[in-house]
Amino acid sequence: MLSILASCSHNEKKYKIGVSQCSEDIWRNKQNSELMIGAYFHDNVDLCFVAAYDSDERQIQQIDSLIDQGIDLLIVAPNQVSTISSAIDRAYDKGIPVIVFERKTSSKKYTAYMGADNYEMGRLMGEYIASRLNGRGKIMEVMGLKGSSPAIERHDGFVSAIAQHPGIEVVSTLQGDWTEPTAYSIVKQWLDANDGADVDLVFGMNDRSAMGARKAFSEKGKALPLFCGIDGLPGEDGGIRLVRDSLLEASYIYPTHGDQLLQLAVDILEGKPYKKETKLMSALVTHDNARVLMLESDEVIRQSQNIERLHEKASGYMRELSDQRTISWLAMVVIALLLTSLLAIYMYFLQRARLHDERRQMEREQLDFYTQVSHELRTPLTLIEGPLEQLAATPEIQNASDETNGIFAIVRRNTRHLTKLISKLLDAQVGATSATDGDEIDALTVNRPVDTVPSIDDLDENASTVLIVDDNADIRAYLTSILKGKYKVLEACDGQHGEIVAQEQVPDIIVSDVMMPNTNGLEFCQRVKTNIITCHIPVILLTARALNKHQIEGYESGADAYITKPFSSDLLLARIANLLQSRHQLKDLWSTKPAAEVAKEPSSAATDYVADPFIERFKTIVESQMGNSELSVEDLSREMGLSRVQMYRKVKAITGSTPVDLLRKARLQAAHQLLTSTDMTVSEIAYKVGFASPSYFTKCYKDEYGKVPGESRKK
Ligand code: FRU
């Protein structure tokens, strides 16, 4: 991750430039910082500085080490002309571009040279000195390091200028090494050895040498000669200040130009055109210009410091930026990881939920399968067990031989055993479910007969009517055989048929299977219970679906009883009888008691029906048509939107009376009301409540109340 980040922020190739300085002093320091400032403008440059402290061996070593470090370019100021050449050649031969600067090498193996013209500098200084001494005087020359090119060239230039002035005599040329302590010690030595000798001017080949000489002269306590140097550096310790403060008579600005040097290096590295030899221009520093130069150079220093500060700030911002970038990347990585984890967790739960659903689905399918198999097995078992029980009760079997009875007992016992086994097997709901193939299921799924609706006219008047709804014709036949002695039996082959028969014939009770095509038993039961005509009919669900959950479903659909297959015929008969007996009937719809009194009776069955919309409507119609002696049950049925049969059976079921009886009761009750509360004649009252003849009214009234109408008159 970090390597990706690193490669993101540093994708440009970095050039490594080795800078080999021959010594370490303020001139070199100035140049090094200029090189660094130059590098600020090039993000792709890394500088590596080394200083040899005026030692050839050390400089050779350092250059070799830079080569080993894999520098891309070498900038070198050779300590001496020939001693460092071998190391420079090695770099050059390795294909490393070499810029020789400020000091020269004897080798031709370099890529470019940059520096001031030291010969010219020495010559101009010679000219200046000659003119300053007005062409007459004694001069001491303190040389730079022996064998270094500026020392040689400055000397040659100086000598060539002085030679033009015969009045100028060089009394001594001392061998220095560019450093102040060496200059001091050799001048001191010379002064000690040449006590009394006159010197008008000392030319130090650099300012530090001139100042070393000055120190030695000062210590002698004699009148000081003039001192001239070279370098003319800015700043407190620099030559410009020394000239301004008259410690030096003159200096020569020896240009550092580090930024220009760096640009040359970058141009070479980037394959841009460059000058092989660059000569840097320079200028003399004297009392005349030292003040101005000092001001200017101070300003330059100040600006350089500003640049430095700006760079530091910029570097700080860059660091912050890079930190922020790293943080952003890390944050993004963390967010990505987080999102991935969340997604993974989500997928995991999704998968779990899916597996759970699949398992539930499988369980449901398994249950359905067992339920179906159970149904299919229990049905034929019912048809074996039930008839066997019926047979057992017949005199033929009861009086049969012991052998026949024995065989019969074996059959009965094993049938019961088989029933138990199947119940256990199926109710346990264990084992694999998928083994049974479609053929077996088909083999079990039999009997889809279509029934016709029998007519009510065939039925016996007083017996209750049972509607059997089952798609299995054998079951229907068996049930019919159980019920037919006691009840009128209607049949339907599924819920859809059952609904039609129930509405048309309004049976007293319904026995229905649950698993049936088209409309199943639960739906059928629900429809029966929500229909105004059939809602009062008790429903027994008769099914192989033996689980509690199935029974609950059955009761939720509105069933009054739930009997599981295989069932005992006695149990079924008992349940039917019980349901028929316990149904609530509104006997007192128009009893002789006033309605208010009936309503007051707390647990009276009447209260159950008070709010029944069917009854309410029936009563309203009857009361409004009271005076109409022509009013027939057909009229009433039409008004109610029912057939005559529907009307008859619904009214009979919930009141125990026929519609005709109810109508008559309503009329008699109204008459009774009028007799006890008005002065109307009996005939008037008879017609008013819809009797066609007063004599018939009197007969009916007597039947109902046990007295003739006149006896009920108000006293
Ligand atoms: C700095 C220095 C200068 C001098 C130059 C000659 O190292 O000694 O003072 O002018 O080198 O190469």
Side-chain angles (χ1 to χ4, degrees):
M1 183 64 217
L2 288 173
S3 70
I4 292 171
L5 292 176
S7 68
C8 287
S9 47
H10 301 108
N11 46 6
E12 209 179 344
K13 179 180 168 19
K14 277 228 161 195
Y15 293 119
K16 195 168 183 182
I17 298 176
V19 180
S20 167
Q21 293 282 17
C22 52
S23 42
E24 151 97 56
D25 48 60
I26 56 168
W27 190 92
R28 307 270 158 206
N29 289 344
K30 178 170 182 274
Q31 189 180 48
N32 286 350
S33 36
E34 287 167 358
L35 277 163
M36 264 159 27
I37 288 174
Y40 293 162
F41 298 97
H42 303 280
D43 291 338
N44 57 343
V45 165
D46 265 344
L47 290 173
C48 180
F49 294 97
V50 285
Y53 296 94
D54 310 302
S55 155
D56 294 335
E57 296 83 57
R58 191 176 294 162
Q59 190 164 30
I60 289 168
Q61 251 176 30
Q62 288 176 338
I63 290 172
D64 284 340
S65 147
L66 285 173
I67 296 169
D68 291 345
Q69 286 171 36
I71 52 165
D72 298 294
L73 184 140
L74 175 67
I75 294 176
V76 57
N79 196 36
Q80 295 187 57
V81 177
S82 53
T83 47
I84 312 299
S85 303
S86 60
I88 296 173
D89 288 356
R90 272 198 291 283
Y92 189 85
D93 290 340
K94 285 211 162 175
I96 300 169
V98 175
I99 300 176
V100 177
F101 75 98
E102 188 266 315
R103 293 187 193 182
K104 289 182 178 163
T105 163
S106 57
S107 169
K108 289 265 167 289
K109 292 185 174 178
Y110 64 91
T111 315
Y113 172 80
M114 182 179 273
D117 185 343
N118 280 291
Y119 179 89
E120 185 61 5
M121 218 176 281
R123 196 187 66 75
L124 285 171
M125 192 48 93
E127 283 298 333
Y128 169 78
I129 288 169
S131 93
R132 177 69 184 81
L133 295 177
N134 296 319
R136 180 166 299 276
K138 294 190 166 127
I139 297 172
M140 173 189 277
E141 185 187 9
V142 181
M143 298 270 286
L145 177 72
K146 194 170 182 211
S148 69
S149 66
I152 299 162
E153 288 170 0
R154 285 175 195 178
H155 174 75
D156 291 350
F158 179 68
V159 169
S160 78
I162 294 299
Q164 308 297 314
H165 303 279
I168 302 282
E169 183 195 350
V170 179
V171 290
S172 172
T173 297
L174 301 176
Q175 185 58 59
D177 62 3
W178 303 116
T179 67
E180 189 175 331
T182 303
Y184 164 75
S185 83
I186 55 171
V187 171
K188 188 174 161 40
Q189 250 175 35
W190 186 86
L191 285 175
D192 288 346
N194 301 277
D195 205 13
D198 269 350
V199 175
D200 300 307
L201 190 144
V202 177
F203 169 44
M205 272 199 186
N206 62 359
D207 294 340
R208 284 177 289 141
S209 299
M211 288 303 285
R214 193 175 198 280
K215 193 177 165 197
F217 272 97
S218 305
E219 280 178 8
K220 268 288 164 196
K222 295 212 289 185
L224 288 174
L226 300 173
F227 296 91
C228 289
I230 288 181
D231 280 348
L233 286 166
E236 266 312 292
D237 302 328
I240 297 173
R241 210 250 323 150
L242 298 174
V243 174
R244 187 198 68 183
D245 295 351
S246 301
L247 297 170
L248 294 180
E249 188 59 22
S251 183
Y252 208 98
I253 294 174
Y254 190 46
T256 44
H257 290 210
D259 52 337
Q260 216 175 323
L261 186 59
L262 190 99
Q263 187 57 55
L264 172 65
V266 171
D267 286 347
I268 291 169
L269 283 167
E270 291 180 344
K272 292 183 182 157
Y274 63 93
K275 266 167 80 177
K276 184 160 170 100
E277 309 281 337
T278 306
K279 209 167 263 184
L280 300 173
M281 302 312 289
S282 188
L284 195 66
V285 184
T286 63
H287 292 299
D288 299 335
N289 62 5
R291 194 166 297 276
V292 177
L293 285 174
M294 186 71 190
L295 283 172
E296 277 183 0
S297 61
D298 280 354
E299 183 59 19
V300 170
I301 289 171
R302 213 169 57 80
Q303 295 302 351
S304 304
Q305 285 166 349
N306 280 344
I307 289 175
E308 198 67 42
R309 273 206 296 275
L310 273 176
H311 178 259
E312 266 167 31
K313 270 204 151 179
S315 305
Y317 290 143
M318 291 308 285
R319 265 196 306 278
E320 259 174 44
L321 190 72
S322 128
D323 288 353
Q324 277 169 8
R325 193 180 295 165
T326 310
I327 289 168
S328 305
W329 272 99
L330 286 175
M332 268 154 66
V333 169
V334 169
I335 289 170
L337 283 175
L338 220 72
L339 285 177
T340 316
S341 320
L342 283 176
L343 192 74
I345 291 170
Y346 173 72
M347 297 294 282
Y348 167 74
F349 280 107
L350 201 72
Q351 180 72 4
R352 227 173 69 155
R354 198 175 300 141
L355 283 175
H356 183 73
D357 284 354
E358 277 171 14
R359 210 172 50 228
R360 292 297 296 269
Q361 176 66 19
M362 263 171 62
E363 282 170 6
R364 263 199 301 278
E365 280 169 11
Q366 193 178 18
L367 189 66
D368 286 351
F369 172 79
Y370 273 111
T371 307
Q372 191 171 354
V373 170
S374 161
H375 180 254
E376 298 296 349
L377 286 176
R378 284 167 198 261
T379 300
L381 263 177
T382 304
L383 291 170
I384 296 168
E385 209 181 6
L388 267 180
E389 297 303 323
Q390 276 180 324
L391 274 179
T394 59
E396 287 87 343
I397 293 295
Q398 277 173 1
N399 302 329
S401 67
D402 284 354
E403 192 188 345
T404 308
N405 261 319
I407 294 170
F408 200 77
I410 292 172
V411 175
R412 283 179 72 190
R413 200 168 48 248
N414 281 287
T415 308
R416 272 201 296 275
H417 187 54
L418 185 61
T419 305
K420 263 187 211 149
L421 281 180
I422 287 171
S423 293
K424 262 191 197 164
L425 179 74
L426 300 178
D427 294 347
Q429 302 285 325
V430 289
T433 60
S434 55
T436 313
D437 62 24
D439 291 348
E440 282 171 270
I441 296 279
D442 284 348
L444 294 165
T445 314
V446 290
N447 303 322
R448 293 279 179 269
V450 177
D451 301 75
T452 51
V453 178
S455 159
I456 191 90
D457 298 335
D458 308 335
L459 303 173
D460 172 20
E461 188 69 29
N462 292 320
S464 292
T465 309
V466 182
L467 168 60
I468 298 167
V469 186
D470 201 307
D471 58 328
N472 187 314
D474 289 344
I475 287 279
R476 288 201 305 275
Y478 172 56
L479 284 172
T480 304
S481 77
I482 294 171
L483 299 171
K484 69 176 182 232
K486 290 192 170 67
Y487 303 103
K488 284 179 278 182
V489 179
L490 298 173
E491 289 182 35
C493 64
D494 60 27
Q496 208 175 355
H497 259 104
E499 201 183 342
I500 296 168
V501 178
Q503 279 193 30
E504 285 186 357
Q505 305 295 340
V506 197
D508 293 294
I509 190 159
I510 296 171
V511 177
S512 173
D513 188 15
V514 173
M515 288 166 66
M516 291 182 292
N518 302 323
T519 307
N520 69 36
L522 298 177
E523 211 179 322
F524 164 64
C525 180
Q526 207 167 5
R527 290 196 192 174
V528 163
K529 291 295 180 180
T530 49
N531 185 289
I532 191 164
I533 302 167
T534 56
C535 59
H536 66 280
I537 305 172
V539 176
I540 298 173
L541 289 177
L542 188 62
T543 174
R545 289 158 47 102
L547 294 182
N548 275 350
K549 124 184 164 82
H550 291 142
Q551 298 206 25
I552 291 168
E553 271 175 24
Y555 286 118
E556 277 171 358
S557 76
D560 299 83
Y562 201 97
I563 297 178
T564 55
K565 289 179 191 171
F567 57 87
S568 124
S569 55
D570 292 341
L571 174 73
L572 178 67
L573 284 169
R575 204 74 190 89
I576 290 174
N578 171 263
L579 280 170
L580 285 174
Q581 204 179 4
S582 64
R583 68 188 161 167
H584 295 291
Q585 286 183 333
L586 182 61
K587 306 283 185 199
D588 298 327
L589 196 62
W590 278 290
S591 71
T592 42
K593 286 185 199 169
E597 272 177 44
V598 174
K600 263 188 243 155
E601 289 175 20
S603 62
S604 160
T607 51
D608 294 350
Y609 285 101
V610 164
D612 185 318
F614 178 86
I615 294 297
E616 288 305 302
R617 191 157 158 65
F618 180 77
K619 281 177 78 174
T620 311
I621 292 168
V622 167
E623 276 160 17
S624 69
Q625 300 268 336
M626 186 72 77
N628 179 3
S629 62
E630 305 281 288
L631 183 68
S632 65
V633 176
E634 277 77 10
D635 294 337
L636 272 175
S637 306
R638 209 174 309 114
E639 285 269 339
M640 292 287 287
L642 303 175
S643 74
R644 193 186 66 83
V645 173
Q646 284 174 321
M647 178 72 173
Y648 176 87
R649 295 192 59 75
K650 174 86 189 180
V651 168
K652 187 91 179 11
I654 62 178
T655 65
S657 308
T658 65
V660 176
D661 285 347
L662 271 188
L663 185 57
R664 192 172 47 244
K665 265 192 192 155
R667 288 186 160 135
L668 289 172
Q669 219 234 333
H672 180 75
Q673 189 73 25
L674 291 171
L675 282 168
T676 53
S677 60
T678 68
D679 292 331
M680 290 169 75
T681 66
V682 171
S683 301
E684 277 170 349
I685 290 172
Y687 292 124
K688 173 121 182 113
V689 299
F691 280 90
S693 82
S695 58
Y696 181 59
F697 164 63
T698 303
K699 178 192 175 297
C700 293
Y701 192 87
K702 188 151 187 254
D703 289 349
E704 180 70 20
Y705 294 99
K707 51 188 175 184
V708 294
E711 288 175 283
S712 297
R713 293 302 322 217
K714 67 170 185 177
K715 304 281 174 309

